[in-house]
Amino acid sequence: MPYIIAIDQGTSSSRCVLYNEQAQPIAVAQREFTQIYPQPGWVEHDAEEIWQTQSAVFAELLQKQKLKAEDIAGIGITNQRETTVIWYRKTGIPIHNAIVWQDRRTADSCEKLKQSGYETLIQNKTGLLIDPYFSATKIQWLLDHVEGARQLAERGELAFGTMDTWLSWQLSGGKLHITDVSNASRTMLYNINDLCWDMELLELFNIPASLLPSVKSSSEIYGLTAHNEIGLNIPIAGIAGDQQAALFGQLCHQPGMAKCTYGTGSFLMMNTGAQLVKSHHRLLTTIAWQRGDQVTYALEGSVFMGGAVMQWLRDGLLVFKQASDSEALAESVADNGGVYFVPALTGLGAPHWDSSARGAIFGITRGTTQAHLTRAALESIAFQVDELLQTLSDDCGAPIAELHVDGGAAKNNLMVQFQADISRINIIRPKNLESTALGAAYLAGLAVGFWSFESINRTQEIDQRFAPLMPSDQVENLKYYWQKAVVRTKAWME
Ligand code: ADP
């Protein structure tokens, strides 16, 4: 059985990637699905459509490559995290659209929880900060707003799941109602110290335990597919949330190793090993994965505007036609010309947490050109990640020596070199920037014996290494002005 398939269930599309024994992605199939916006601030997905697109791309991949179910040694699932769906156990039909992680409809109930003083309790138990992102208040909303849902839930007739749970239910023909620890740790109901659903939190959110899936490790044979269209009896053998899967896919398997995914936003995650590190700067503590009995924890921080700054220059200001043009344009000037761009377009996240901040561009003179602006925008991606890196190392009490990078904007050499320079960090960029799907494939491949732990380390090809080159006085000067600019964007909205 020469292949592993990764199911990559993202926020905007359903993808499947086929990997060979060298862990090369030899074929990909992908379909977008509908984004539903019923009201400002609400975001939903049709879970049935997610399953239909996901099973269609699976079948397409097999067909394109002329493969049969017998050729697939195992399936790994990685998914958009926190997105919540509830369905009837009997029919497998959802009671409502899935509520997506971005959805803010439960902001008021989160605010009430904070005001009632639950923040420390929740952070201590789950590693998370009270926020509508996480599944708990979304489940609560569904039980309170879908007619009859609460009674059905109390009678044990409904099932809750994040997208990994929903897909494994579907793949197994309703046999599996499971999730893995990494996804469970994003629900705000899972106790990451005791490794179980937390009864006190279930009571606080008024959620019946009968709704919940059983929590498994991230790498084991959970069950087999029972679906004619994609093929029968393929082992479902790996599950991890998208950021955790990327950390695994980047081979950040030792404590202290970190990755940053530069996509629309930037997502930094560091392996803290068997040690659960509590953040003093409002970063998230989360479970990275579990293999066998061994649970690995991580610290996580993210910024909202990463590569999205490039989209804004492209679509909002029409500075260039494609994000990839930004590198040559920024290279055409020697430096930022004193221009600093703080992309607080939707406020500032970690470590500032100021939702009233707004974007601003400082230091403009008559000599400023589009090239300086573009360079400043690329630098802003790295400055923000630098702040996260510093926060992470403060929480851990040690500097981070090395950073593994992936995501679309990590293709930009100028930006990555600038990151290495200002953060004084060595950066490793793999050839394959799709670490998320690869991580899910590794987890499944390990479980079915397709790879050994040693052999996956031999599969990764490095594209380029970046070392810090910039003189330290120049770094200090750049950071001084960046910090000054950030301060001036704060508390803008009144
Ligand atoms: P996502 O998974 O969040 O959709 P991707 O990992 O596909 O994101 O990365 C896309 C993002 O990267 C976009 O915001 C785009 O503007 C940015 N991007 C893509 N290529 C480049 C580049 N060469 N330089 C800078 N930014 C880029």
Side-chain angles (χ1 to χ4, degrees):
M1 284 187 276
Y3 303 103
I4 293 281
I5 286 186
I7 288 183
D8 181 1
Q9 200 296 301
T11 307
S12 51
S13 72
S14 296
R15 277 163 26 103
C16 273
V17 187
L18 184 76
Y19 290 94
N20 63 11
E21 213 184 321
Q22 289 74 45
Q24 290 158 331
I26 46 180
V28 182
Q30 176 164 6
R31 269 189 216 177
E32 293 198 357
F33 52 80
T34 317
Q35 306 291 317
I36 304 162
Y37 305 106
Q39 288 188 31
W42 293 29
V43 190
E44 296 179 358
H45 290 156
D46 175 353
E48 301 262 28
E49 189 188 356
I50 287 187
W51 165 239
Q52 276 152 18
T53 48
Q54 199 66 73
S55 55
V57 292
F58 198 109
E60 186 186 320
L61 199 61
L62 292 183
Q63 221 169 26
K64 261 202 310 209
Q65 299 298 312
K66 301 194 170 49
L67 297 174
K68 296 201 188 68
E70 300 86 82
D71 301 317
I72 310 302
I75 297 173
I77 301 174
T78 181
N79 55 292
Q80 52 167 329
R81 302 177 300 176
E82 297 116 9
T83 296
T84 295
V85 64
I86 295 179
W87 63 94
Y88 296 98
R89 284 184 186 274
K90 214 177 249 168
T91 61
I93 296 172
I95 63 166
H96 191 275
N97 280 335
I99 304 183
V100 178
W101 57 273
Q102 300 153 322
D103 190 292
R104 309 300 294 172
R105 79 184 63 184
T106 58
D108 284 349
S109 57
C110 287
E111 204 42 57
K112 278 192 201 122
L113 282 169
K114 281 188 217 166
Q115 278 164 12
S116 311
Y118 283 109
E119 200 144 42
T120 310
L121 176 92
I122 289 182
Q123 196 190 9
N124 286 342
K125 282 172 179 278
T126 68
L128 307 175
L129 301 167
I130 297 175
D131 194 275
Y133 273 147
F134 308 112
S135 314
T137 58
K138 299 183 198 289
I139 302 176
Q140 201 178 27
W141 189 94
L142 288 168
L143 294 180
D144 289 339
H145 290 82
V146 179
E147 217 188 307
R150 189 165 287 286
Q151 291 85 327
L152 287 167
E154 272 156 16
R155 290 210 302 266
E157 293 182 32
L158 301 181
F160 149 77
T162 41
M163 286 303 116
D164 54 311
T165 309
W166 171 244
L167 291 177
S168 32
W169 172 281
Q170 294 291 349
L171 285 164
S172 66
K175 279 214 186 91
L176 293 174
H177 185 217
I178 55 163
T179 188
D180 89 302
V181 281
S182 73
N183 278 292
S185 74
R186 314 298 295 189
T187 57
M188 217 155 77
L189 298 171
Y190 193 71
N191 190 314
I192 62 170
N193 311 274
D194 303 341
L195 304 173
C196 59
W197 296 116
D198 190 279
M199 289 305 152
E200 192 182 347
L201 293 181
L202 290 180
E203 214 161 284
L204 175 66
F205 290 102
N206 195 14
I207 293 171
S210 65
L211 267 178
L212 303 173
S214 50
V215 183
K216 303 282 184 186
S217 78
S218 313
S219 180
E220 65 181 270
I221 299 178
Y222 312 107
L224 304 174
T225 56
H227 195 271
N228 285 325
E229 223 173 284
I230 64 163
L232 298 173
N233 299 330
I234 310 172
I236 305 163
I239 299 179
D242 52 11
Q243 297 310 319
Q244 287 95 329
L247 189 69
F248 199 86
Q250 284 272 23
L251 304 179
C252 294
H253 298 160
Q254 302 305 322
M257 295 180 86
K259 69 91 196 171
C260 186
T261 301
Y262 296 88
T264 308
S266 305
F267 299 89
L268 181 66
M269 194 177 256
M270 189 178 99
N271 180 332
T272 64
Q275 195 193 359
L276 187 162
V277 178
K278 197 178 151 189
S279 173
H280 299 289
H281 302 90
R282 302 173 65 76
L283 298 180
L284 305 177
T285 307
T286 205
I287 297 179
W289 53 75
Q290 179 186 346
R291 291 185 59 238
D293 295 336
Q294 189 106 37
V295 171
T296 298
Y297 291 94
L299 267 176
E300 171 177 336
S302 51
V303 289
F304 310 130
M305 295 292 291
V309 190
M310 293 296 121
Q311 291 166 344
W312 181 71
L313 285 186
R314 184 193 63 191
D315 305 335
L317 296 191
L318 311 177
V319 174
F320 39 73
K321 286 217 173 70
Q322 308 175 45
S324 54
D325 299 340
S326 62
E327 187 165 350
L329 188 56
E331 286 279 15
S332 72
V333 285
D335 55 35
N336 65 15
V339 178
Y340 291 81
F341 179 0
V342 184
L345 308 194
T346 55
L348 286 169
H352 305 288
W353 299 108
D354 183 347
S355 56
S356 62
R358 283 300 175 272
I361 301 166
F362 297 91
I364 301 171
T365 65
R366 288 193 67 166
T368 301
T369 64
Q370 288 188 333
H372 294 110
L373 188 58
T374 303
R375 191 155 180 138
L378 283 172
E379 291 180 357
S380 81
I381 301 176
F383 277 128
Q384 294 179 92
V385 169
D386 182 60
E387 290 178 331
L388 286 182
L389 283 166
Q390 285 179 24
T391 312
L392 258 186
S393 54
D394 274 3
D395 276 335
C396 298
I400 297 157
E402 204 174 72
L403 183 67
H404 296 247
V405 300
D406 54 52
K411 284 181 262 181
N412 195 302
N413 293 322
L414 183 137
M415 192 280 290
V416 178
Q417 181 59 51
F418 190 75
Q419 186 77 72
D421 284 337
I422 60 161
S423 302
R424 293 256 160 275
I425 199 168
N426 290 310
I427 294 184
I428 298 172
R429 183 171 67 191
K431 268 205 182 123
N432 174 8
L433 289 179
E434 298 276 355
S435 313
T436 307
L438 181 60
Y442 280 155
L443 287 166
L446 285 168
V448 298
F450 186 79
W451 288 302
S452 68
F453 202 61
E454 294 68 43
S455 70
I456 59 176
N457 282 296
R458 289 195 296 271
T459 59
Q460 194 146 73
E461 289 179 274
I462 291 171
D463 169 51
Q464 205 171 324
R465 291 176 191 270
F466 299 79
L469 300 173
M470 192 184 276
S472 54
D473 56 340
Q474 199 181 339
V475 174
E476 266 164 44
N477 187 54
L478 282 161
K479 286 202 196 179
Y480 170 77
Y481 277 101
W482 165 259
Q483 280 155 12
K484 189 158 141 181
V486 169
V487 169
R488 294 186 182 194
T489 65
K490 288 189 178 177
W492 176 255
M493 301 298 287
E494 288 178 5

